[in-house]
Amino acid sequence: MSIVPKETIEVIAQSIGISNLSSDAALALAPDVEYRLREIIQESIKSMRHSRRTTITADDVDAALTLRNVEPVYGFASGGPLRFKRAIGHKDLFYIDDKDVDFKDVIEAPLPKAPLDASLVCHWLAIDGVQPAIPENAPLQVIAPPSEGKNFEPKNELLPVDIKLPVKHVLSRELQLYFDKITELTLRRSDSPLFKQALVSLATDSGLHPLVPYFICFIKDEVSRGLQDFSLLFALMRVVSSLLQNRHINIQLYLHDLMPSVVTCLVARRLGNRLADNHWELRNYTANLVASICKRFGHVYNELQTRVTKTLINALLDPKKSLTQHYGAIQGLAALGSNVVRLLLLSNLEPYMRLLEPDMLLEKQKNEMKRHEAWRVYGALLVNCLLTMNDPVLC
């Protein structure tokens, strides 16, 4: 026996304009209506499960009707549950309590807000292994566990952008030993054959990328502390050169930490503590290192060479800077190419020579060390300007 009573079939027939449907016909149609309803409900359940939901919605019913080539029911949405009421005088007859809507109210109602245009917003998930605390990322209270013995109370205040959350960085035991050995050779045995082998390993080993931030931090700290140690500074620059030669590591992410240390070894006032320290050679070596960095990463960071040349030309034209700093600036500009020499050195050669000449003359400069420095600067200017003027590319 059908669970759909014949009275329901008669009411539906009357709602679509069939008023003379006999009781026998309604009784015969009831089982078929039940079969069709079960079929639609089963297809709706399939749609619900494929959508990873546990509640059937009007969209699921529409999908089932479309699958059976039946026109979907219009005017129903899945915004909320439907409210059914029992028909007066019929125990098993229910209807949807639809509210009558006046067209006047619809016309006079304010328009809804226009939907927002679709847009894409980019933000950093992590910078140098550190997640910036910005509204798009998880807040500090979610990531950081609450301290022991204290109740954790979430706050709704937005965190400032400049706060960075530390990310735990785990190194294998082998990498820790490797890092300790390299740093020990750099600090204490930079003149040994083993240090040369270590430089070759830094330039060729393919598994050193996790150690790059540690090497950069080591170089930065030792340069800032060891400006009086010439051999240490030279060893550090050789380590930088080896890291730059390694094609298996992505060192460009750490250039903002590395470049200040490299430029310091080029234009620092004093490198080393002894007169025998050949800081001129260190400045020449570092100048070529700076030029190689600009050449390799200039297409990635468009302002890299511009900022370097600005730093060097400011050091050269500043009369308060020492002559050793002027020498480093000249060598750095010359290493960047003939165009830089022509645009920056040759154009400022005349006013700079007026500044340099008094320190070159015995009558005006009695300090032999400063006279020697002035002649070294003059020699660097002379060589680089002659090479630029004889460059066939610029001729």
Side-chain angles (χ1 to χ4, degrees):
M1 185 169 179
S2 174
I3 63 172
V4 180
K6 66 181 182 64
E7 289 82 4
T8 301
I9 305 299
E10 292 174 352
V11 171
I12 295 174
Q14 292 175 3
S15 66
I16 60 176
I18 302 175
S19 58
N20 56 351
L21 183 67
S22 63
S23 299
D24 295 337
L27 192 61
L29 285 174
D32 187 67
V33 170
E34 179 185 352
Y35 171 77
R36 301 299 177 186
L37 285 175
R38 290 181 183 273
E39 190 178 42
I40 295 300
I41 292 173
Q42 289 175 358
E43 296 296 340
S44 302
I45 292 174
K46 293 179 182 179
S47 176
M48 174 196 72
R49 289 174 177 171
H50 283 297
S51 301
R52 301 293 189 271
R53 286 184 280 101
T54 58
T55 304
I56 295 179
T57 64
D59 294 334
D60 297 327
V61 178
D62 288 342
L65 293 173
T66 304
L67 186 64
R68 294 296 174 181
N69 294 323
V70 180
E71 188 175 5
V73 180
Y74 300 103
F76 293 93
S78 302
L82 300 176
R83 295 182 177 275
F84 290 89
K85 284 191 174 183
R86 188 190 302 272
I88 299 176
H90 299 276
K91 183 176 64 173
D92 299 327
L93 182 60
F94 296 86
Y95 66 95
I96 299 174
D97 186 17
D98 288 332
K99 181 181 179 181
D100 294 335
V101 179
D102 192 350
F103 278 111
K104 183 179 179 181
D105 296 338
V106 175
I107 294 173
E108 294 179 353
L111 294 176
K113 293 182 179 180
L116 298 176
D117 293 335
S119 60
L120 296 176
V121 178
C122 300
H123 67 90
W124 288 102
L125 292 177
I127 301 175
D128 300 340
V130 178
Q131 176 176 297
I134 56 178
E136 289 80 2
N137 289 336
L140 179 63
Q141 292 88 347
V142 174
I143 297 177
S147 58
E148 296 181 0
K150 295 183 179 180
N151 295 328
F152 176 66
E153 298 180 356
K155 298 180 180 180
N156 296 325
E157 298 177 357
L158 295 179
L159 298 173
V161 175
D162 57 350
I163 295 179
K164 292 186 177 181
L165 305 176
V167 177
K168 189 176 182 180
H169 199 180
V170 181
L171 290 178
S172 65
R173 180 61 179 169
E174 293 77 8
L175 286 177
Q176 294 180 28
L177 292 174
Y178 182 90
F179 177 76
D180 293 339
K181 190 64 176 179
I182 295 294
T183 54
E184 179 187 357
L185 291 172
T186 305
L187 293 172
R188 298 179 179 85
R189 301 170 58 188
S190 59
D191 55 348
S192 65
L194 191 57
F195 180 66
K196 296 181 180 179
Q197 296 178 9
L199 294 177
V200 174
S201 175
L202 287 173
T204 57
D205 200 322
S206 59
L208 300 182
H209 189 71
L211 288 176
V212 174
Y214 295 93
F215 278 122
I216 299 300
C217 188
F218 167 72
I219 293 168
K220 182 172 63 174
D221 292 342
E222 293 303 325
V223 167
S224 62
R225 289 198 298 257
L227 287 177
Q228 306 300 323
D229 192 340
F230 169 77
S231 59
L232 173 61
L233 295 175
F234 216 127
L236 291 171
M237 292 302 100
R238 293 172 70 185
V239 170
V240 172
S241 178
S242 296
L243 291 174
L244 289 171
Q245 294 174 35
N246 195 327
R247 298 294 178 176
H248 302 286
I249 61 178
N250 190 10
I251 202 171
Q252 71 181 40
L253 300 176
Y254 308 96
L255 286 181
H256 63 286
D257 285 329
L258 180 63
M259 285 303 294
S261 301
V262 177
V263 175
T264 297
C265 291
L266 179 62
V267 294
R269 178 179 293 272
R270 188 167 186 176
L271 300 174
N273 198 26
R274 298 176 300 176
L275 295 177
D277 291 337
N278 190 4
H279 64 90
W280 311 104
E281 182 183 358
L282 174 59
R283 296 180 195 272
N284 295 338
Y285 184 87
T286 309
N288 293 326
L289 198 58
V290 171
S292 66
I293 293 175
C294 293
K295 182 178 179 181
R296 180 176 172 185
F297 301 106
H299 67 285
V300 180
Y301 301 103
N302 298 327
E303 297 183 355
L304 177 61
Q305 182 166 330
T306 304
R307 295 173 66 178
V308 170
T309 53
K310 184 178 180 180
T311 301
L312 296 179
I313 197 65
N314 288 340
L316 177 65
L317 300 180
D318 188 353
K320 296 181 181 179
K321 300 289 185 181
S322 66
L323 292 173
T324 54
Q325 292 175 286
H326 292 177
Y327 178 86
I330 292 170
Q331 293 297 86
L333 292 171
L336 293 175
S338 300
N339 286 328
V340 176
V341 175
R342 178 173 56 86
L343 293 174
L344 297 178
L345 278 184
L346 292 179
S347 60
N348 294 287
L349 185 60
E350 184 177 352
Y352 182 75
M353 286 304 301
R354 288 198 297 267
L355 178 68
L356 182 64
E357 282 179 357
D359 289 325
M360 297 171 59
L361 301 176
L362 179 61
E363 297 81 9
K364 295 184 179 181
Q365 181 56 264
K366 302 300 182 180
N367 190 322
E368 183 179 357
M369 179 61 67
K370 288 190 176 181
R371 246 188 357 262
H372 172 70
E373 293 175 353
W375 279 100
R376 288 297 296 254
V377 172
Y378 176 75
L381 275 174
L382 183 62
V383 170
N384 291 314
C385 291
L386 287 176
L387 289 176
T388 300
M389 289 186 292
N390 293 330
D391 191 346
V393 178
L394 299 178
C395 293

